[in-house]
């Protein structure tokens, strides 16, 4: 089977590797400037922490299990270091206890941590902590290393990679074709949309609907992150009242402060956050991890890929199975597992039962009724 995968970041690179490993003839097309993609600006927390409804929780658990089973063996892509959350503010304490209770009830590992245990795990942490919980099964990924890993696997299995912008997809009775901005035309048996926020327009070019939440200032699809220079840091994922912290490649950290996201502008020049946002990150870092006070940091704007109702869109988009999609938020957690299952479905027709509720075809019809369903992550424990 000849398949063109549009998008070469976490979902596209993983799907290409899974398809090529199963013997498909794969071409991957990605834009020359993927720096603004969701994958290059992700917090990379591998979790099923606050995922509703339960069918979506089950999907994220499958993603997590895949990391523990498969990706933990690949050097440098996944650190199974766990996550600790320290709540001091009353609202945060309430939400942490409710989440911990729900997750424990679902059989998800949760540990109650005393102040002494928290200090032993993260000696430099000075965040207020009336209640602390550990989520030892969670971990962190390095998305750019994962993409390089999957790209190398796909190449080794014969996939070819093209750089260019796809301007349109055509579906015919016996196959599909994509056209690039430079006029190149690729024909295939099927096309897979792994193009993040570009997926909606590409589906529309084929006459199909795949609505996603368009990023606008402060909406759920936009959020700030910051990266720090090498220096004192935490050794696992840490969530506190006002700052989330995790180790990053190269000795620094990635920081997130969801309540700051209310005015994040997706059109900020160069994707850079305003100076006041960088200052807010620096101030919170000095409070929470005083050893790291003054560490240089850079704050930027990320754009989330969110189908219109907030849930993944995975599977055939058209009725004949010529156009497929893997379009999702939490794509670092979900992408590698979704890629495996989607490759199998594309080549054998077998759909994983867990994917039942996530057909892209549910998104056909008026979007307005569902447009507001995506929830803006603003509180600790969300993403
Ligand atoms: C601030 C933030 C924090 C996040 N935190 C987490 C987290 O902690 N855990 C987690 O699991 N997930 C997290 N996510 C979500 C996760 O990063 C995304 O779901 C995932 O990266 C989506 O990957 P993708 O490959 O589908 O899309 P993208 O990474 O956006 O890649 C799509 C690619 O397609 C290309 N493309 C688009 N249109 C075209 C076209 N017409 N022609 C050719 N190429 C095209 C783009 O250039 C891009 O390279 C976060 C996202 C953000 C923004």
């Amino acid at each position: 089977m000849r398949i063109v995968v549009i998008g070469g970041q976490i979902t596209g690179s993983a799907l290409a590797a899974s398809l090529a490993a199963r013997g498909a003839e794969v071409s991957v097309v990605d834009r020359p400037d993927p720096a603004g993609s969701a994958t290059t600006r992700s917090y990379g927390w591998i979790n099923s922490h606050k995922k509703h409804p339960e069918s979506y929780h089950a999907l994220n658990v499958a993603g997590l299990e895949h990391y523990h089973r498969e990706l933990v063996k690949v050097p440098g892509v996944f650190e199974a270091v766990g996550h600790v959350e320290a709540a001091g503010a009353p609202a945060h304490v309430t939400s942490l206890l409710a989440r911990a209770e729900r997750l424990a009830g679902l059989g998800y590992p949760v540990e109650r941590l005393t102040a002494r245990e928290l200090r032993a795990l993260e000696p430099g942490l000075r965040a207020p902590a009336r209640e602390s919980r550990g989520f030892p099964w969670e971990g962190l990924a390095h998305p750019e290393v994962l993409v390089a890993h999957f790209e190398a696997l796909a190449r080794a299995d014969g996939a070819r990679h093209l750089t260019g912008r796809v301007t349109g997809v055509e579906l015919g009775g016996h196959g599909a074709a994509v056209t690039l901005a430079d006029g190149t035309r690729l024909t295939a048996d099927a096309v897979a949309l792994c193009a993040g926020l570009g997926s909606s327009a590409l589906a529309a070019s084929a006459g199909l609907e795949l609505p996603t939440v368009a990023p606008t200032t402060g909406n759920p699809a936009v959020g700030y992150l910051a990266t720090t220079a090498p220096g004192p840091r935490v050794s696992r994922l840490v969530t506190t009242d006002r700052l989330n912290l995790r180790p990053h490649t190269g000795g620094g950290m990635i920081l997130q402060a969801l309540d700051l996201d209310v005015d994040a502008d997706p059109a900020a020049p160069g994707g850079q956050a305003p100076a006041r946002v960088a200052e807010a990150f620096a101030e919170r870092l000095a409070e929470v991890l005083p050893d790291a006070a003054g560490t240089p940091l850079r704050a930027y704007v990320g754009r989330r890929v969110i189908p219109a109702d907030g849930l993944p869109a995975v599977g055939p988009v058209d009725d004949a199975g010529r156009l497929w999609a893997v379009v999702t938020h939490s794509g670092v957690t979900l992408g590698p597992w979704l890629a495996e299952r989607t490759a199998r479905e594309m080549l054998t027709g077998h759909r994983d039962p867990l994917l039942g509720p996530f057909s892209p075809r549910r998104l056909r019809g008026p979007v307005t009724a569902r447009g507001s369903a995506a929830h803006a992550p603003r509180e600790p424990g969300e993403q």
Side-chain angles (χ1 to χ4, degrees):
M1 197 164 168
R2 290 173 309 143
I3 299 171
V4 174
V5 177
I6 309 177
Q9 296 300 305
I10 187 65
T11 60
S13 66
L15 182 62
S18 297
L19 286 166
R22 288 168 179 266
E25 195 181 302
V26 181
S27 301
V28 183
V29 189
D30 203 357
R31 292 169 65 115
D33 52 351
S37 71
T39 306
T40 55
R41 296 183 176 179
S42 181
Y43 191 62
W45 171 23
I46 305 306
N47 76 96
S48 183
H49 197 87
K50 193 178 179 187
K51 310 290 183 178
H52 297 268
E54 274 181 35
S55 54
Y56 185 44
H57 173 74
L59 215 60
N60 283 271
V61 166
L64 246 166
E65 282 172 346
H66 186 76
Y67 270 89
H68 282 282
R69 197 174 51 242
E70 304 293 338
L71 294 168
V72 78
K73 300 176 205 156
V74 183
V77 305
F78 174 57
E79 296 183 35
V81 287
H83 165 215
V84 296
E85 182 163 345
H92 186 187
V93 170
T94 306
S95 88
L96 173 60
L97 296 184
R99 262 181 289 124
E101 190 181 337
R102 169 180 179 261
L103 288 171
L106 289 167
Y108 192 85
V110 182
E111 293 170 351
R112 185 170 190 282
L113 298 175
T114 63
R116 182 193 290 254
E117 286 165 337
L118 178 65
R119 228 182 355 264
L121 289 173
E122 292 296 341
L125 198 66
R126 293 292 175 271
R130 281 174 45 212
E131 291 285 350
S132 302
R133 294 291 180 276
F135 302 94
W137 204 35
E138 298 176 358
L140 59 95
H142 299 290
E144 63 290 355
V145 189
L146 267 170
V147 170
H149 163 69
F150 286 126
E151 199 176 309
L153 286 182
R155 281 186 201 279
D157 282 327
R160 62 175 183 149
H161 288 74
L162 292 89
T163 299
R165 183 171 61 84
V166 176
T167 52
V169 178
E170 285 164 56
L171 305 180
H174 298 289
V178 305
T179 306
L180 275 61
D182 67 3
T184 304
R185 195 176 147 82
L186 305 171
T187 56
D189 298 303
V191 171
L193 297 177
C194 296
L197 288 168
S199 303
S200 203
L202 291 168
S205 74
L208 293 161
E209 286 174 286
L210 186 56
T212 50
V213 176
T216 57
T217 298
N219 84 348
V222 200
Y224 294 121
L225 293 173
T227 47
T228 68
R233 62 180 190 166
V234 291
S235 50
R236 55 183 52 68
L237 289 137
V238 176
T239 298
T240 71
D241 288 351
R242 300 211 318 142
L243 191 67
N244 305 340
L245 315 87
R246 54 149 283 185
H248 190 25
T249 46
M253 290 183 286
I254 307 180
L255 310 178
Q256 187 174 42
L258 293 163
D259 60 297
L260 295 179
D261 292 349
V262 287
D263 62 1
D265 175 4
Q272 296 300 308
R276 65 179 164 73
V277 172
E279 284 157 18
F281 273 113
E283 191 184 301
R284 293 178 184 209
L285 178 60
E287 276 170 25
V288 166
L289 196 68
D291 292 349
T295 305
L297 60 80
R298 191 176 70 80
Y300 49 92
V301 181
R303 303 189 316 155
R304 296 185 178 89
V305 178
I306 312 181
D309 62 1
L311 296 170
V314 182
V317 184
D318 65 325
D319 295 332
R322 301 275 175 231
L323 187 67
W324 292 69
V326 182
V327 177
T328 186
H329 181 51
S330 295
V332 183
T333 301
L334 294 171
W337 182 83
L338 289 177
E340 277 289 312
R341 291 307 194 262
T342 303
R344 186 178 70 180
E345 187 179 346
M346 290 180 83
L347 299 177
T348 70
H350 177 80
R351 184 163 178 82
D352 192 291
L354 286 182
L355 291 174
F358 302 106
S359 165
R361 287 178 278 190
R362 74 179 188 280
L363 296 168
R364 288 179 184 170
V367 177
T368 42
R370 298 177 305 257
S372 61
H375 166 75
R378 295 279 182 260
E379 292 173 12
E382 298 185 326
Q383 185 49 264

